[in-house]
Amino acid sequence: MASASAITFLRSIRAVSAQYRGSVGQLMGQAVASGPGCASVCADMMGRGAARNVAANRIPIMKKNPLGRTGMEVSQLCLGTMTFGTQTDEADAHAQIDAALAAGVNFLDTAEMYPVNPISAETVGDSEAIIGNWNARTGRRGDYILATKHSGEGMQAVRDGAPITAETIPATIEGSLRRLKTDYIDLYQFHWPNRGSYMFRKNWQYDPGGNDRAEVLDNMAGCLEALKAQVDKGNIRAFGLSNESAWGTAQWLRLAEETGGPRVASIQNEYSLLCRLYDTDLAELSVYEDVGLLAFSPLATGLLTGKYQDGAVPDASRKTLNPELGGRHTDRVYPAVAAYLEIARRHGLDPVHMALAWCHTRPFMASAILGATNLAQLEHVLAGADLTLSQEVLEDIDAAHRAHPMPY
């Protein structure tokens, strides 16, 4: 279960993070590495109780992974922000950013269309604006890697559903920079391809046809040229994809090499114990081409916490707003969740920590994106960030996957 001492530490360090403008996560790592003598270093800044937790080596250490070939490294957990402005108010959102950075998270992900639950034209951009207000208030923009996204074709709340083109990119980036109150974006992602995607349960009846190949490739080449201009201006540092396929990613890589445009650094696709579409062709591409996965919904919209078992619908949960959980609510999913919950119980593990620790074992994983509705949920996750699963647990998970493949 979650370490009470770790959660206590996170809360105590959050209280001082607004005053301390350096990297608290780095201080934590240095303190743990220093051994018991670190208490005297930490005491004045964090309070004696928090320092004792560090000295006892009970604070999770946040591993970092390469972000493609960019030279940047991102923490194995990324703070997702898609509820900032709807389910999560600004005060709680800012507290989450404080706590995440204090725990060694150096990676935040957002999008121009956020928040969700629900998506509306009136709230488009609000999540970016909340992050921007935190940047302006704290002056700590340089302490983390910031990712945002350009919406794809069909999102009526943004540009009336216009596709991503060389013409839409400059103004869209400028809008994000303005809301985020920053002069650069570390990772700029295309939220989904114009030609469509098999994500979000569309894989069951996926038809890859309907687009002219030459037009698709011409659009890609034009977008890469526009992105290169943004890199040259210093507006963005790197380029990533989301909800993308192996063919699409391969084309972006090939065209970048041919044109000198920015190389794809990452793919943000859904991935969890319950959703493993990434495990074959995309996995191979990721490993050989150094294009890491940024896994969204690693807890399967909360299903893997167990909170929706036996028909339960907790107050203010995502299921109160979206009863079908985006197509994940099926007859098959709850027995699958039960199998993973039983593995966690049998091995004395918190199911949330187990699900995330399993993600970190995958050879293509760059970071798992954590979306917490409130600070307490985030603290629970952060307390188990350093869990390593035994071979026995991994074998049990493999058996459960074989018994419950593709439950939605």
Side-chain angles (χ1 to χ4, degrees):
M1 302 301 289
S3 164
S5 61
I7 292 176
T8 298
F9 177 85
L10 291 168
R11 288 174 175 164
S12 63
I13 201 169
R14 187 178 75 244
V16 301
S17 63
Q19 286 76 42
Y20 178 61
R21 296 302 176 93
S23 172
V24 181
Q26 288 179 356
L27 175 65
M28 289 166 57
Q30 292 165 0
V32 171
S34 299
C38 72
S40 61
V41 176
C42 300
D44 290 340
M45 185 167 297
M46 304 177 201
R48 295 285 174 180
R52 284 194 295 272
N53 284 335
V54 175
N57 200 14
R58 290 196 289 259
I59 305 308
I61 303 300
M62 191 68 63
K63 180 187 173 187
K64 292 185 172 59
N65 298 314
L67 182 63
R69 298 177 185 174
T70 66
M72 291 184 277
E73 289 195 337
V74 294
S75 50
Q76 65 180 0
L77 290 177
C78 170
L79 180 61
T81 65
M82 72 176 189
T83 64
F84 286 13
T86 48
Q87 290 174 278
T88 308
D89 64 27
E90 184 158 338
D92 196 278
H94 286 185
Q96 286 192 35
I97 298 173
D98 290 339
L101 268 62
V105 172
N106 77 336
F107 194 18
L108 267 68
D109 177 75
T110 191
E112 62 163 338
M113 63 170 272
Y114 290 168
V116 301
N117 299 332
I119 299 168
S120 72
E122 292 73 29
T123 61
V124 162
D126 284 1
S127 298
E128 288 186 330
I130 287 172
I131 297 169
N133 291 340
W134 185 92
N135 287 336
R137 178 175 62 80
T138 66
R140 295 185 62 192
R141 170 62 187 92
D143 286 359
Y144 67 96
I145 291 169
L146 175 59
T148 192
K149 309 182 199 73
H150 185 310
S151 300
E153 184 171 6
M155 176 54 63
Q156 293 302 315
V158 182
R159 288 179 297 282
D160 296 322
I164 303 169
T165 66
E167 291 71 35
T168 63
I169 289 168
T172 303
I173 288 177
E174 291 294 339
S176 288
L177 290 171
R178 184 173 60 253
R179 288 186 294 271
L180 290 163
K181 294 182 171 64
T182 183
D183 54 8
Y184 68 99
I185 294 162
D186 296 293
L187 178 66
Y188 196 66
Q189 305 159 101
F190 289 169
H191 211 151
W192 59 88
N194 293 330
R195 64 185 193 280
S197 171
Y198 57 74
M199 304 298 288
F200 301 103
R201 270 45 70 200
K202 294 180 181 178
N203 55 293
W204 295 107
Q205 295 178 310
Y206 179 59
D207 179 1
N211 294 284
D212 181 86
R213 182 179 187 275
E215 290 180 2
V216 169
L217 296 178
D218 284 347
N219 171 267
M220 288 180 173
C223 287
L224 284 171
E225 184 177 354
L227 289 168
K228 185 178 185 303
Q230 293 296 311
V231 172
D232 292 343
K233 289 178 65 175
N235 284 346
I236 66 173
R237 296 177 66 192
F239 168 52
L241 300 169
S242 183
N243 298 299
E244 190 49 282
S245 69
W247 181 85
T249 305
Q251 300 312 306
W252 286 108
L253 289 167
R254 178 181 62 82
L255 289 168
E257 187 171 344
E258 291 178 0
T259 65
R263 190 179 196 276
V264 174
S266 58
I267 309 174
Q268 186 177 146
N269 280 12
E270 183 172 358
Y271 192 74
S272 71
L273 287 168
L274 299 176
C275 181
R276 297 181 59 172
L277 294 176
Y278 204 92
D279 272 343
T280 55
D281 292 351
L282 275 168
E284 182 181 37
L285 184 148
S286 273
V287 170
Y288 284 106
E289 296 295 336
D290 300 317
V291 179
L293 173 64
L294 308 179
F296 73 77
S297 291
L299 297 178
T301 63
L303 283 162
L304 287 166
T305 69
K307 66 183 178 183
Y308 298 129
Q309 293 297 94
D310 302 319
V313 183
D315 292 342
S317 67
R318 187 167 180 172
K319 205 169 187 184
T320 63
L321 301 169
N322 184 348
E324 298 302 310
L325 296 175
R328 299 172 183 88
H329 172 74
T330 69
D331 292 339
R332 300 185 311 282
V333 76
Y334 298 102
V337 171
Y340 292 115
L341 293 176
E342 172 57 23
I343 293 169
R345 185 203 63 76
R346 191 161 63 245
H347 293 279
L349 300 173
D350 183 295
V352 169
H353 299 162
M354 184 186 80
L356 292 169
W358 174 80
C359 284
H360 303 325
T361 69
R362 309 305 288 155
F364 44 77
M365 189 67 60
S367 191
I369 302 172
L370 237 295
T373 304
N374 56 59
L375 181 60
Q377 291 178 351
L378 178 63
E379 289 176 331
H380 181 109
V381 167
L382 294 173
D386 60 350
L387 175 65
T388 299
L389 301 180
S390 69
Q391 186 60 36
E392 185 180 3
V393 172
L394 293 173
E395 289 171 0
D396 285 352
I397 286 173
D398 285 346
H401 174 54
R402 287 174 179 270
H404 303 277
M406 295 184 68
Y408 51 71

